[in-house]
Amino acid sequence: MYWYDSTYILVLIGALLSMWASSRVNSAFRKYSRVRSRNGITGAQAAERLLHAQGDL
């Protein structure tokens, strides 16, 4: 006979929370990946300009 183990419930809750968090992050990324800056440059280009302005590049 199989005895019920509460560890499975904790694993299931953890998996569901992980999927929910992943879904929220992906949703936010999709939403803000379409937002352009005022001058039309990417985040990588902005970072490169900042580093260049500081003499670090």
Side-chain angles (χ1 to χ4, degrees):
M1 181 176 192
Y2 176 76
W3 289 99
Y4 176 72
D5 188 3
S6 62
T7 304
Y8 295 117
I9 296 274
L10 294 175
V11 169
L12 180 62
I13 290 171
L16 290 173
L17 283 173
S18 176
M19 287 188 292
W20 174 77
S22 176
S23 170
R24 295 283 307 229
V25 168
N26 287 330
S27 173
F29 182 79
R30 278 192 308 272
K31 177 181 178 181
Y32 291 108
S33 68
R34 294 186 301 263
V35 175
R36 299 290 293 179
S37 66
R38 284 186 225 166
N39 58 2
I41 65 172
T42 66
Q45 291 169 332
E48 187 176 339
R49 286 184 184 184
L50 286 172
L51 287 171
H52 186 58
Q54 294 298 318
D56 293 339
L57 185 66

